[in-house]
Amino acid sequence: MSQQSNRDILKVDGLKAYYQMNYFGVEREVRAVDDITMTVRKNEVYGIAGESSSGKTSFIKVLAAAIRPPLRVVAGSATYAFKSGTIDVAHASPEEIEAVRWKHLSYIMQGSMSVLNPVRRIGKTFKDFAQRPLGLSGRAFEERVVHHLSRLKLPPDVLKAYPHELSGGMRQRVTIGLATVCHPEFIIADEPTTALDVVVQKEVLSLIREIQQDMGSSVVFVTHDMSVHANMADRVGIIYAGRLVEEGPTRQMFFAPKHPYTAHLVASLPRIGDTTQRPALEGRPPNLADPPQGCRFHPRCPLAVEKCRTQTPPLEEVAPDQRSACWRWMDVEPLVKPSAPVGVVA
Amino acid sequence: MSTLLEVNNVSKRFTMGGLFGRRVVDAVQEASFSLTTDKPEIFTIIGESGSGKTTLARMILGLEDASEGEILFRGKRISRHMGQAERLAFMSAVQPVFQNPFEAFNPLKKIERYLSSTARRFLRTSDRATIDRAMDEALQKVGLSLKEVRGRFPHEMSGGQLQRCAIARALIPNPPLLIADEPVSMVDASLRMSIVNLLRSLRDDLGVSVIYITHDLATAYYISDRIIIMQRGRIVEMGDARTVLENPEHPYSRLLKASVLSTDDAGAGKLATDPGMVDLANAMMGRAGKLVDRQDGRRVRVYDEA
Ligand SMILES: Nc1ncnc2c1ncn2[C@@H]1O[C@H](COP(=O)(O)OP(=O)(O)OP(=O)(O)O)[C@@H](O)[C@H]1O
Ligand code: SF4
Ligand SMILES: [Mg+2]
């Protein structure tokens, strides 16, 4: 085994997952995840960014072993190296997945209400999810849950509550509690703080970070909000039209991006105190049923040249630990200036 | 100066028979502000999750009655019990834009169906040509056209386009006031900017006023004329958006600004908030105090011993 594989907990290789639909006899295929290769290391927070419908959620649904038809894995693999053994969730049986769920791999879905059953008290939901993986029962189980909730600054009372009786921020903490109570090695979270106010958002984020560091787990964190990635992630990966177009250490991604789309995402963030008109990206996200030839970003790319229309750029290392899929990566100018040096000379 | 909207000492109390015993929630307490017809503006409401922003918006839309106080639109009282004709007239003047463009549309219905049913209802016509013209005009205002939209289903459009369509639908009756409750919270920064730029041009080019409810202080700063900041049902600070956001005075406003994640230190993992600041803001929670005027035109809630 190489050193590389020892450092990694998840290896995604050539993963393709498509929505295959049949509309009134017409076959339609939406290539939501189209040939993604990447790894996630032990004990890191890996942030995934991209615009709506770029395939972020579809991608992590595969990682979370939570896909349902019409979404299907059509090629590649997603292999975890858990303490209990390796598992390729793209091909594992439901029983094999059941054996790792919650205990090794947990998933915080978009919208906290989707895991919390509205007519079930929170305590019951904890039982449903965590009792079996934890192998505890009765008092021991309850004590464990109450202790875990207290770390999330939630009183034991919440176990008796129904979801609608809690505020948005409390519900979000409950969901994080559910996802972490079994001390999983790998946590996947999809937009866990969207629609929370900024005070609660920051609280929830630092909580996830704290728990991750305590347990030494890995976290894959999806959000379209770049300012969240700036403060949460160790590394950031950018998805565009079903493909990973750039990844690298957070600071480099913000201040020395090597893909025009990343540069745009980082620059489009408005700031308090700034009223200059910010141009939105021209054009619309590509249709994943019929994506553009060559580089999928070319119809909207300010740097596009003829070659981009026909030839797909490979994702290649362009700086230490940083990979980009762009023919002109050396011409990408960072659009934002850091407040301190970036630490790498491009 | 004539007033468009007048919110007078409005409170809303919900009673819930929950597990923790019977409980009352004061969702909104003594809110007052007004918008004039002469100067269209973007009026922003920002604040805690659950601080009453949506409740306030629902009362302005006539979907919820105030427990106390009154809301007047062009001098007429808004209530859930308006007569049908009155309600239709009111609804054609005050239109909502909802949060999530993907949820606002039924995936199995063509987008133009939403637009045409709104047009039919407010223009009181079933003449195809008139309806098409109204739809196209509204779509043109948001940078689209009927030609681009016709025949398409929601999944065939991007989030930004859908949100534009939702705004176009709201524009069909030519309302002077839009109520947009978190219209950008579900979209990425690039789309977010295209939508707030659109709201800005609706104000500047079409004279539409917008009540913009958001968690995003940066876009609030970018487009708002005035702002109110809410904590637990109460307005704690209000005034010119730039004045307030550049230099917030109330402890909760200050905490809010300090909690905005910055990208200046990207990669440094800075997520800590000054605990003193949090304590100070929490100490104000639920206390009545009173709003006082400041020299720079803002109003701030102050408390007896503070
Ligand atoms: N129909 C209702 N019945 C009981 N309580 C309600 C109802 N609607 C709202 N509330 C309560 O009123 C308060 C204000 O809620 P509201 O939805 O207006 O907040 P908000 O500021 O829009 O929050 P967010 O930023 O999370 O959208 C909350 O405590 C909420 O739980
Ligand atoms: S490969 Fe060409 S079109 Fe694609 S991002 Fe690079 S410059 Fe732009
Ligand atoms: Mg709301």
Side-chain angles (χ1 to χ4, degrees):
Chain A
M1 284 235 152
S2 68
Q3 195 191 342
Q4 173 101 15
S5 56
N6 224 338
R7 177 189 65 176
D8 301 331
I9 181 162
L10 169 66
K11 196 165 173 15
V12 178
D13 197 11
L15 188 71
K16 296 185 181 181
Y18 298 171
Y19 292 91
Q20 294 173 325
M21 289 157 297
N22 190 319
Y23 274 126
F24 311 110
V26 183
E27 296 288 341
R28 242 176 84 101
E29 195 169 65
V30 175
R31 295 179 231 161
V33 179
D34 212 4
D35 203 1
I36 292 185
T37 296
M38 50 93 77
T39 57
V40 177
R41 297 166 193 163
K42 287 178 185 153
N43 199 9
E44 80 166 339
V45 176
Y46 188 104
I48 293 179
E51 63 192 333
S52 55
S53 71
S54 58
K56 303 187 296 287
T57 297
S58 311
F59 176 48
I60 64 160
K61 273 189 174 153
V62 179
L63 302 190
I67 62 170
R68 304 212 179 336
L71 183 61
R72 287 188 188 87
V73 172
V74 300
S77 59
T79 309
Y80 289 91
F82 290 132
K83 290 183 186 124
S84 58
T86 64
I87 174 172
D88 172 6
V89 290
H91 297 100
S93 69
E95 294 76 30
E96 289 167 317
I97 286 162
E98 205 47 45
V100 296
R101 187 166 310 289
W102 302 107
K103 203 168 172 187
H104 298 282
L105 175 65
S106 74
Y107 176 33
I108 305 173
M109 265 174 278
Q110 191 164 12
S112 58
M113 288 310 270
S114 46
V115 254
L116 300 176
N117 184 336
V119 297
R120 235 167 146 67
R121 294 187 202 271
I122 305 290
K124 281 260 185 339
T125 303
F126 265 93
K127 271 201 178 132
D128 299 345
F129 283 93
Q131 193 155 36
R132 217 157 50 97
L134 278 177
L136 296 171
S137 60
R139 272 209 86 70
F141 175 71
E142 192 157 322
E143 270 166 22
R144 173 77 168 264
V145 171
V146 167
H147 175 251
H148 190 68
L149 289 178
S150 73
R151 287 181 55 191
L152 299 166
K153 301 202 193 80
L154 289 167
D157 271 4
V158 302
L159 290 173
K160 292 186 224 138
Y162 288 100
H164 71 264
E165 295 178 308
L166 306 175
S167 75
M170 279 170 106
R171 276 204 298 268
Q172 206 50 265
R173 274 180 282 165
V174 166
T175 334
I176 293 166
L178 271 172
T180 51
V181 67
C182 304
H183 289 206
E185 293 172 69
F186 204 98
I187 300 165
I188 297 171
D190 193 359
E191 302 275 9
T193 61
T194 304
L196 295 178
D197 72 58
V198 290
V199 177
V200 178
Q201 174 184 63
K202 204 165 172 186
E203 183 188 298
V204 168
L205 292 174
S206 46
L207 211 87
I208 295 179
R209 189 84 229 206
E210 208 180 292
I211 290 183
Q212 178 267 332
Q213 277 167 357
D214 270 17
M215 306 190 308
S217 329
S218 304
V219 173
V220 165
F221 192 98
V222 174
T223 176
H224 65 264
D225 190 338
M226 292 303 285
S227 64
V228 171
H229 288 304
N231 294 278
M232 268 297 275
D234 297 308
R235 289 194 297 150
V236 176
I238 309 289
I239 291 195
Y240 186 81
R243 295 225 162 115
L244 191 62
V245 294
E246 183 170 11
E247 70 164 11
T250 305
R251 198 165 173 74
Q252 276 160 247
M253 296 291 281
F254 276 82
F255 302 120
K258 295 282 178 265
H259 194 284
Y261 182 59
T262 313
H264 165 78
L265 276 186
V266 170
S268 63
L269 286 170
R271 289 148 185 256
I272 301 176
D274 181 356
T275 54
T276 51
Q277 181 106 12
R278 281 162 195 276
L281 197 57
E282 291 297 318
R284 71 175 119 98
N287 177 357
L288 292 177
D290 182 22
Q293 291 291 305
C295 172
R296 291 185 177 177
F297 189 52
H298 84 252
R300 302 166 86 185
C301 180
L303 297 184
V305 291
E306 199 44 47
K307 183 183 189 181
C308 308
R309 284 175 229 287
T310 50
Q311 295 175 47
T312 308
L315 185 66
E316 281 177 344
E317 183 136 345
V318 293
D321 212 17
Q322 188 170 4
R323 297 191 296 157
S324 165
C326 172
W327 295 121
R328 299 189 59 189
W329 62 267
M330 61 298 258
D331 299 327
V332 177
E333 293 285 345
L335 299 167
V336 241
K337 301 255 172 308
S339 51
V342 183
V344 280
V345 194
Chain B
M1 234 173 30
S2 58
T3 50
L4 182 66
L5 179 76
E6 212 176 320
V7 175
N8 282 332
N9 262 310
V10 165
S11 302
K12 177 72 188 180
R13 165 170 287 192
F14 291 107
T15 310
M16 303 206 295
L19 176 98
F20 303 130
R22 243 179 130 62
R23 235 185 359 158
V24 292
V25 177
D26 288 307
V28 176
Q29 294 187 65
E30 290 162 27
S32 293
F33 60 87
S34 64
L35 307 185
T36 75
T37 43
D38 321 286
K39 197 179 152 289
E41 65 174 320
I42 296 181
F43 186 87
T44 295
I45 307 180
I46 213 160
E48 260 187 306
S49 306
S51 63
K53 304 182 297 296
T54 299
T55 307
L56 192 51
R58 288 176 55 81
M59 289 191 284
I60 295 171
L61 285 165
L63 300 172
E64 199 91 69
D65 280 336
S67 312
E68 271 164 64
E70 59 175 8
I71 300 177
L72 305 175
F73 183 77
R74 286 180 173 147
K76 276 200 190 141
R77 190 172 178 146
I78 301 172
S79 113
R80 271 200 322 172
H81 309 287
M82 290 180 277
Q84 213 176 7
E86 209 184 343
R87 169 161 286 272
L88 193 67
F90 168 72
M91 283 174 62
S92 69
V94 184
Q95 279 283 319
V97 176
F98 295 109
Q99 180 170 6
N100 185 346
F102 293 100
E103 277 171 11
F105 292 93
N106 176 338
L108 300 175
K109 265 199 198 170
K110 286 187 187 139
I111 290 163
E112 74 222 42
R113 292 263 304 266
Y114 287 88
L115 296 161
S116 62
S117 69
T118 301
R120 197 168 299 124
R121 179 155 178 221
F122 288 111
L123 306 178
R124 302 196 200 189
T125 174
S126 46
D127 176 52
R128 284 296 284 264
T130 314
I131 290 172
D132 281 2
R133 197 172 335 109
M135 291 198 284
D136 192 49
E137 266 173 33
L139 286 164
Q140 299 277 355
K141 288 176 187 166
V142 301
L144 293 166
S145 66
L146 184 57
K147 218 174 120 222
E148 288 172 78
V149 171
R150 178 148 271 169
R152 298 175 76 171
F153 287 95
H155 66 86
E156 295 174 306
M157 313 256 318
S158 74
Q161 287 176 311
L162 278 182
Q163 195 59 293
R164 278 165 192 275
C165 290
I167 294 171
R169 191 208 54 77
L171 290 174
I172 285 177
N174 282 316
L177 181 60
L178 286 186
I179 316 270
D181 192 355
E182 298 197 40
V184 296
S185 71
M186 304 303 288
V187 302
D188 60 80
S190 176
L191 289 182
R192 193 181 299 183
M193 289 321 285
S194 81
I195 290 160
V196 295
N197 284 336
L198 169 62
L199 295 180
R200 179 145 100 168
S201 74
L202 293 180
R203 174 194 64 191
D204 297 345
D205 306 337
L206 301 174
V208 177
S209 281
V210 181
I211 293 184
Y212 174 53
I213 301 178
T214 188
H215 285 310
D216 183 11
L217 275 73
T219 55
Y221 182 93
Y222 179 73
I223 58 164
S224 324
D225 299 286
R226 284 188 296 158
I227 190 170
I228 62 181
I229 298 180
M230 293 184 69
Q231 180 193 27
R232 218 35 77 82
R234 285 203 172 82
I235 296 175
V236 293
E237 188 159 354
M238 62 195 289
D240 172 71
R242 307 269 150 83
T243 310
V244 170
L245 289 174
E246 271 163 21
N247 196 3
E249 184 182 329
H250 189 278
Y252 180 72
S253 318
R254 298 169 68 96
L255 173 63
L256 207 57
K257 185 173 175 187
S259 300
V260 172
L261 295 170
S262 143
T263 52
D264 295 345
D265 289 316
K270 285 200 181 145
L271 285 167
T273 308
D274 174 5
M277 235 174 163
V278 178
D279 292 345
L280 201 57
N282 285 343
M284 308 302 157
M285 196 124 73
R287 292 175 59 191
K290 60 171 191 296
L291 282 170
V292 299
D293 291 312
R294 292 290 188 229
Q295 223 147 41
D296 57 12
R298 81 175 86 190
R299 308 192 74 201
V300 184
R301 189 169 294 277
V302 296
Y303 308 87
D304 286 344
E305 65 274 39

